[in-house]
Amino acid sequence: MNTLELLKEEIEKCVRCGTCRSVCPTLKAIGRETACARGRITLVEHRLKGSLELSGNYLRHIKECTLCGACKSNCPNGVDTVRIFAGARAEAVEKEGVPYAASVVFKNLLESNRLPWALKLANRLQGVLFRDAVASSGLLSRFPLPLIGSGRLLPPIAKTPFLELPNVKALSGHGRPGGALGKAVRVAFYAGCGVNYLMPEIGTASLDVLKRAGVEVVVPVGQVCCGMPAYAMGDRATARAMALKNLDIFESCNFDFVTTACATCGHGLKSLFKDMLGDDPELKSRVEAFSKKVRDISELLVNELGFKGKGRGPGHETKVTYHDPCHLGRAQGVREEPRALIASCPGVSLEEMKNPCSCCGLGGGLSLVNYELSMEIAKRKAENIRSSGADVVVTACPGCMVHLRDGLHRFGVNAKVAHVVELL
Amino acid sequence: MLSELVKNELKRIVGTANAAFAREELLCYSYDATNTLYPPDAVVFVKSAEEVSLILKMANSEGFPVIPRGAGSGFSGGSLPVEGGVVISTERMNGIIEIDTENLTAVVEPGVVLWEFQQEVEKKGLFYPPDPSSLRFSTLGGNIAECAGGPRAVKYGVTKDYVLGLEVVLPTGEIINTGVRTAKGVVGYDLTKLMVGSEGTLGVVTKATLKLVPLPEATRTLLAVFPDLKDAATAVSGIIKAKVIPSTLELIDGVSLKCVEEYAKAGLPEAEAVLLIEVDGSREGVVKDSEVVERICMEYGAQSVKSATGKDEVRDLWKARRAISASLFRVKPNKINEDVVVPRASIPELIGGVREIADRLNLTIACFGHAGDGNIHVNVMYDKTNPCEAKAAEDAVTEVFKLTVELKGTISGEHGVGVSKARYLSLELKPEAIEAMKRIKAAFDPNGILNPGKIFPKKAAEEGAYMVGAEAASGVPATGL
Ligand SMILES: Cc1cc2nc3c(=O)[nH]c(=O)nc-3n(C[C@H](O)[C@H](O)[C@H](O)COP(=O)(O)OP(=O)(O)OC[C@H]3O[C@@H](n4cnc5c(N)ncnc54)[C@H](O)[C@@H]3O)c2cc1C
Ligand code: SF4
Ligand code: SF4
């Protein structure tokens, strides 16, 4: 069966009621039916029927979606819209191939934890050259380092990636594969590209908190990109290879939980590995065993380690607001745990913003496909943050952090952006 | 098909960026919530009455249909371009021009989403009551054109009770203002009332002056569970007889309960029927009224009456209530959704009759809706790939309509006639009445260019190619909703 036929049943579940119009961030920004789930499903349905070309217009409408899943969780008919849109992108990639530059970077990201050459160069040249290669790369489909455009606030690439820091390497778990489980809970840390290349400090803060929570931490060596960017761009083959490689590597260590400080990686490890590998019965049971152990770091700290109330806080009175990453709140249902951690920090008052779970605008590669649109979405977010009066907006995903910083800077909102673990 | 000349002229009028001709665009403006597809030849995203006027004038001289469209959430096919032509989307005309807290009025553009308007109004301590279940996405223009209403109608009325005046572009292109900005006004014919509910066939609304009321001080939501559907229906009249007018009085039957609970997980009970009741007013009044309601429900056979505590619980209940319509597809892949109205006292008879029809034809029929004003959504569930069932479903609808008319009711309380109900028009209206309406239409739209193919059934002989499409839309088996 081809990729679209697999979606047929899902597509036919849509009754065109229009409920999704009320929640779609791209519809709010663009104001046209082509930019909401109902419209996009209609287009994919016509592709399926063979009555629509793989036209530039079609591709634009399919790609101008953040895959935020708001439509999915509000659809009265339970249509898995995100599956439809990811599938539609996969079909396009099958026909047209992966853009060359992206394929180069994806390959590099598949090569264990070595810094991809494109990024190394980008770091040195800070973006004059290699613009295209970087702009369309897998990592960058979430972390838009492309150094394009003026006035765009982008994080510098880390001098030393997280996974290559000496103290992290020391935790690599080498030499003790299969080590017997001691009394202490053993946690394997999954870094993900955002932490590894852009925000090693979040990785370091995570390890610190985990240590204080009294667990033994391993950082399995050889872990690679989780595959979510490739998946979102429709490059199923690469996403699958990445998932498989990570599975192999983690299975060679012994642990009670896998944790990550990235909402997107967490969603990938928890659910999308199944989507990527589940077609093979042998892999399916392996993936299920692995995925059961995955926890977002807030989830792990609150539900498994009883860490609530043990955070250090910022050291002074601070008004904090929390942004729910789509891949944590909606996709994983983790909303209360980060809030519990934040609110229990000394000196912190948690002030909810309007629509804390609306998308920041980064998702699904949108900031590469249409940066202006992703900023239009970020604008609403920035306004909500402004009206909350918070000094700091805390979230749980490096991707959201990059986009929020960019957005707040652009729309002149003073709030700082931090990760939950940085508050602890 | 539109000529190049017309296309260029459209681009000139609205700007190139606001005129769409690509197939991808056209497909996304080809449907509404009836889930039927008729692609237009162009979509234009208008910004002003002047633009609409120029387009309509050209439509008369060049002879192409024009179809106004808001959010495309209509349940009767009102915004479907059944004869092709140019869709006028109001999505860009989405400004709230004014909220006048002294005179309790607001001036809005037609593309404003009802929910967003209500949020703004409530910030100012005021209230715009009409509340169709589609309130989070339907537009005020669409609400006006369909005279939308919802649960609050029992106490507050429907859209037509809140439209004071309109700016309308007539099908021939003239821009007129109807109505007043005051509580009274009797100068000339009441064109405002004529326009409201005219399903986009008599003019394009480009601005509306709406009436607001003060936001009630308090509301309370109650959920009464009944082991017997007919008892619940009888209790509805009982409550009104006791001289309490709840702001909401909704009936939900067992089939609907089961489906929506699967989606919304709002803690709805498994029962034969529930009444969802809301009372509003002063703090003391609300307490008193809810006591009366509770007592009466128990008298009429409720097994329990519970008052929702906390904002979240109330919100979840309402989210569930609003999702019923769409979540029924969990029973069967297809449904015919009719919103019949009968005098309140006849609700038990209507419900009993519908049950009898369902049993006899071996169908699942879910009933829920605004029992407080006699408006019941009758949802006939079926599978269109099963020809026997599809036929039975179609027969069921005709029987339900006949029963409704016998009980002195009307075949559509809210959703309008559009294409889906056109062929049932004569069940309710005398030929002379239909003729009078057609003469009104002809007086406004001599060339028949504005939203053709709606409301009035055409004789097969006059029909030609259009009949095929009309059958697909109104012909029960082909539709999804
Ligand atoms: C899940 C669901 C629940 C619903 N619940 C209810 C309910 O409880 N009560 C109820 O009454 N309806 C309900 N509806 C039906 C529908 O939402 C209403 O009829 C609504 O008013 C349509 O608004 P719209 O913006 O989507 O209009 P559209 O569907 O775009 O258009 C509807 C009609 O209005 C005309 N129109 C639109 N804009 C203009 C304009 N500016 N000038 C002139 N004509 C115009 C169109 O030509 C068309 O005939 C529901 C629909 C759905 C999908
Ligand atoms: S809410 Fe669901 S069923 Fe309704 S139009 Fe959107 S995707 Fe389709
Ligand atoms: S996933 Fe998000 S952006 Fe994409 S259609 Fe759904 S609501 Fe809109």
Side-chain angles (χ1 to χ4, degrees):
Chain A
M1 242 199 269
N2 81 29
T3 310
L4 290 180
E5 263 155 32
L6 288 170
L7 302 172
K8 188 163 186 275
E9 223 174 283
E10 207 58 51
I11 290 173
E12 284 175 353
K13 265 165 58 187
C14 171
V15 298
R16 298 200 167 79
C17 66
T19 304
C20 44
R21 278 183 69 99
S22 61
V23 291
C24 176
T26 58
L27 178 85
K28 285 208 175 84
I30 295 177
R32 289 194 185 179
E33 182 76 20
T34 38
C36 76
R38 181 171 64 163
R40 291 182 175 123
I41 292 171
T42 303
L43 296 179
V44 181
E45 186 171 19
H46 280 83
R47 268 302 292 151
L48 169 68
K49 284 191 193 145
S51 54
L52 197 62
E53 298 290 304
L54 202 57
S55 61
N57 256 335
Y58 169 79
L59 290 171
R60 181 162 58 82
H61 297 316
I62 295 302
K63 288 181 183 171
E64 277 179 351
C65 158
T66 69
L67 299 180
C68 71
C71 46
K72 177 179 161 183
S73 51
N74 282 281
C75 172
N77 275 299
V79 179
D80 190 344
T81 51
V82 174
R83 216 186 112 219
I84 296 175
F85 304 142
R89 292 176 186 196
E91 191 254 351
V93 166
E94 277 164 21
K95 299 265 157 37
E96 302 215 306
V98 187
Y100 172 73
S103 74
V104 170
V105 178
F106 280 150
K107 273 209 191 72
N108 275 287
L109 286 173
L110 191 52
E111 284 297 311
S112 116
N113 61 355
R114 283 213 320 277
L115 187 64
W117 60 270
L119 291 181
K120 250 183 188 150
L121 276 172
N123 183 23
R124 223 171 292 146
L125 304 172
Q126 277 302 324
V128 188
L129 292 172
F130 291 95
R131 193 162 103 173
D132 294 341
V134 177
S136 52
S137 74
L139 170 60
L140 305 165
S141 64
R142 289 195 59 238
F143 302 103
L145 312 185
L147 327 148
I148 17 174
S150 52
R152 186 165 178 186
L153 191 66
L154 294 164
I157 296 157
K159 291 243 157 51
T160 313
F162 174 74
L163 291 170
E164 289 183 19
L165 293 170
N167 59 325
V168 174
K169 277 178 145 171
L171 298 174
S172 68
H174 259 306
R176 349 166 229 173
L181 284 175
K183 273 190 221 96
V185 173
R186 202 160 183 225
V187 172
F189 186 72
Y190 177 79
C193 300
V195 166
N196 191 25
Y197 297 118
L198 300 179
M199 303 182 181
E201 65 278 9
I202 292 172
T204 305
S206 302
L207 296 186
D208 177 56
V209 173
L210 288 170
K211 211 163 107 199
R212 280 188 285 134
V215 300
E216 187 188 339
V217 183
V218 286
V219 186
V221 72
Q223 51 177 280
V224 296
C225 171
C226 68
M228 286 287 280
Y231 179 85
M233 288 180 80
D235 183 358
R236 288 253 159 109
T238 305
R240 190 173 194 282
M242 287 169 167
L244 194 57
K245 186 148 192 170
N246 282 316
L247 189 63
D248 282 342
I249 283 178
F250 276 78
E251 279 178 342
S252 72
C253 300
N254 227 331
F255 49 79
D256 303 296
F257 298 107
V258 182
T259 195
T260 173
C262 171
T264 301
C265 297
H267 175 43
L269 302 180
K270 269 186 189 171
S271 345
L272 288 175
F273 270 30
K274 270 178 236 158
D275 219 41
M276 296 177 208
L277 302 174
D279 48 358
D280 177 327
E282 188 253 336
L283 285 175
K284 195 171 169 213
S285 56
R286 281 173 62 195
V287 168
E288 276 168 9
F290 169 80
S291 295
K292 268 209 300 253
K293 295 186 179 171
V294 180
R295 302 283 185 283
D296 175 73
I297 192 155
S298 297
E299 207 183 1
L300 180 78
L301 287 168
V302 173
N303 300 341
E304 314 289 349
L305 306 177
F307 194 77
K308 192 177 143 187
K310 296 187 190 157
R312 290 180 181 145
H316 47 86
E317 294 292 311
T318 309
K319 213 162 147 194
V320 168
T321 193
Y322 177 72
H323 161 70
D324 285 284
C326 299
H327 285 152
L328 192 61
R330 254 191 304 279
Q332 301 183 45
V334 177
R335 298 185 182 88
E336 293 313 316
E337 293 84 348
R339 289 185 166 81
L341 288 173
I342 295 167
S344 67
C345 278
V348 168
S349 63
L350 180 63
E351 199 65 50
E352 293 288 347
M353 68 174 103
K354 191 177 160 203
N355 291 335
C357 54
S358 70
C359 182
C360 69
L362 174 78
L366 183 65
S367 79
L368 279 177
V369 173
N370 186 341
Y371 177 66
E372 285 311 313
L373 173 59
S374 77
M375 269 297 134
E376 187 57 36
I377 297 171
K379 188 173 170 184
R380 281 159 216 269
K381 194 91 224 178
E383 283 313 324
N384 292 343
I385 293 170
R386 193 202 307 270
S387 353
S388 79
D391 314 307
V392 184
V393 46
V394 171
T395 187
C397 177
C400 298
M401 290 174 69
V402 171
H403 207 63
L404 288 173
R405 279 190 184 137
D406 193 8
L408 293 177
H409 169 76
R410 176 146 162 168
F411 302 110
V413 181
N414 276 328
K416 286 207 180 64
V417 179
H419 193 284
V420 182
V421 294
E422 292 180 296
L423 210 65
L424 304 174
Chain B
M1 281 302 286
L2 300 175
S3 66
E4 281 310 307
L5 188 109
V6 169
K7 286 187 187 174
N8 287 333
E9 195 53 22
L10 286 173
K11 285 191 224 166
R12 201 187 57 76
I13 295 170
V14 295
T16 310
N18 297 312
F21 307 97
R23 192 166 143 71
E24 294 78 11
E25 232 74 29
L26 302 182
L27 285 174
C28 290
Y29 286 85
S30 68
Y31 51 74
D32 68 0
T34 56
N35 203 3
T36 35
L37 273 72
Y38 294 86
D41 298 308
V43 187
V44 290
F45 301 90
V46 294
K47 194 67 194 156
S48 68
E50 288 68 30
E51 289 178 3
V52 175
S53 160
L54 289 171
I55 294 166
L56 284 170
K57 282 183 181 149
M58 179 167 59
N60 279 285
S61 61
E62 300 295 321
F64 57 83
V66 171
I67 307 94
R69 177 184 164 108
S73 75
F75 263 154
S76 53
S79 65
L80 297 176
V82 287
E83 297 181 18
V86 177
V87 164
I88 290 192
S89 163
T90 60
E91 283 163 302
R92 284 175 72 226
M93 292 186 80
N94 60 353
I96 299 173
I97 298 166
E98 169 191 317
I99 296 175
D100 182 341
T101 52
E102 256 167 50
N103 293 305
L104 304 195
T105 55
V107 180
V108 296
E109 290 189 319
V112 173
V113 172
L114 172 58
W115 173 254
E116 278 156 25
F117 177 59
Q118 288 176 332
Q119 297 293 100
E120 288 309 309
V121 165
E122 285 174 28
K123 269 188 206 161
K124 302 204 148 83
L126 297 172
F127 188 34
Y128 178 75
D131 60 342
S133 289
S134 53
L135 63 93
R136 280 185 180 261
F137 43 101
S138 62
T139 66
L140 289 168
N143 289 175
I144 291 168
E146 298 288 3
C147 188
R152 289 183 196 135
V154 57
K155 177 166 178 180
Y156 290 100
V158 294
T159 302
K160 70 173 174 215
D161 301 305
Y162 294 85
V163 183
L164 294 173
L166 295 170
E167 177 187 86
V168 184
V169 186
L170 298 179
T172 36
E174 301 84 354
I175 303 174
I176 63 162
N177 287 292
T178 74
V180 290
R181 294 197 55 158
T182 51
K184 299 175 172 178
V186 289
V187 179
Y189 292 143
D190 191 344
L191 293 182
T192 313
K193 282 268 183 330
L194 180 61
M195 287 292 163
V196 178
S198 66
E199 305 189 25
T201 63
L202 296 182
V204 180
V205 174
T206 47
K207 217 180 268 172
T209 305
L210 303 174
K211 182 172 96 177
L212 306 173
V213 295
L215 190 63
E217 189 183 39
T219 47
R220 182 173 288 189
T221 308
L222 301 159
L223 191 70
V225 182
F226 287 82
D228 187 287
L229 179 59
K230 267 189 133 176
D231 285 348
T234 319
V236 170
S237 302
I239 294 170
I240 309 274
K241 256 193 247 154
K243 303 210 168 50
V244 174
I245 306 283
S247 54
T248 287
L249 188 34
E250 296 283 293
L251 174 83
I252 309 173
D253 78 353
V255 182
S256 317
L257 277 172
K258 205 155 165 283
C259 289
V260 75
E261 185 56 17
E262 258 177 53
Y263 155 73
K265 312 225 166 17
L268 288 170
E270 221 175 280
E272 269 306 295
V274 301
L275 291 180
L276 179 61
I277 306 156
E278 215 161 73
V279 289
D280 69 0
S282 69
R283 261 172 242 289
E284 310 80 65
V286 162
V287 174
K288 219 180 88 232
D289 284 355
S290 46
E291 279 165 11
V292 176
V293 167
E294 189 174 333
R295 180 172 51 77
I296 291 176
C297 286
M298 294 309 281
E299 272 170 26
Y300 280 83
Q303 69 190 54
S304 72
V305 183
K306 197 172 129 242
S307 147
T309 46
K311 250 184 163 172
D312 288 353
E313 202 178 334
V314 173
R315 194 201 49 212
D316 287 351
L317 280 177
W318 277 108
K319 188 174 176 196
R321 164 61 190 87
R322 292 188 181 119
I324 293 175
S325 175
S327 68
L328 286 174
F329 290 99
R330 290 167 192 251
V331 180
K332 290 271 169 155
N334 305 90
K335 83 169 176 189
I336 312 162
N337 166 9
E338 300 302 354
D339 69 322
V340 300
V341 194
V342 294
R344 201 180 298 126
S346 304
I347 296 175
E349 260 173 281
L350 175 72
I351 301 245
V354 170
R355 282 279 155 271
E356 188 273 318
I357 294 168
D359 291 343
R360 183 159 36 80
L361 298 176
N362 202 10
L363 290 164
T364 301
I365 304 184
C367 292
F368 66 91
H370 323 313
D373 52 33
N375 189 184
I376 301 287
H377 295 281
V378 177
N379 293 264
V380 184
M381 308 309 299
Y382 69 104
D383 183 347
K384 73 176 170 193
T385 59
N386 175 343
C388 287
E389 212 170 88
K391 169 79 173 57
E394 199 172 349
D395 292 347
V397 171
T398 311
E399 289 201 30
V400 170
F401 284 164
K402 285 196 176 133
L403 175 64
T404 306
V405 175
E406 268 168 35
L407 294 172
K408 303 207 163 37
T410 174
I411 61 174
S412 177
E414 305 176 329
H415 298 163
V417 176
V419 265
S420 333
K421 277 187 190 158
R423 60 185 177 150
Y424 298 111
L425 204 63
S426 57
L427 266 182
E428 187 174 326
L429 299 178
K430 281 192 175 162
E432 294 82 354
I434 297 177
E435 261 326 298
M437 290 182 192
K438 281 186 170 171
R439 284 203 298 272
I440 293 176
K441 167 71 176 167
F444 276 83
D445 186 10
N447 297 316
I449 53 95
L450 190 64
N451 212 355
K454 307 296 163 68
I455 303 179
F456 304 110
K458 296 192 179 178
K459 283 195 217 90
E462 304 166 7
E463 278 298 288
Y466 156 63
M467 201 58 195
V468 181
E471 275 305 313
S474 67
V476 171
T479 62
L481 272 168

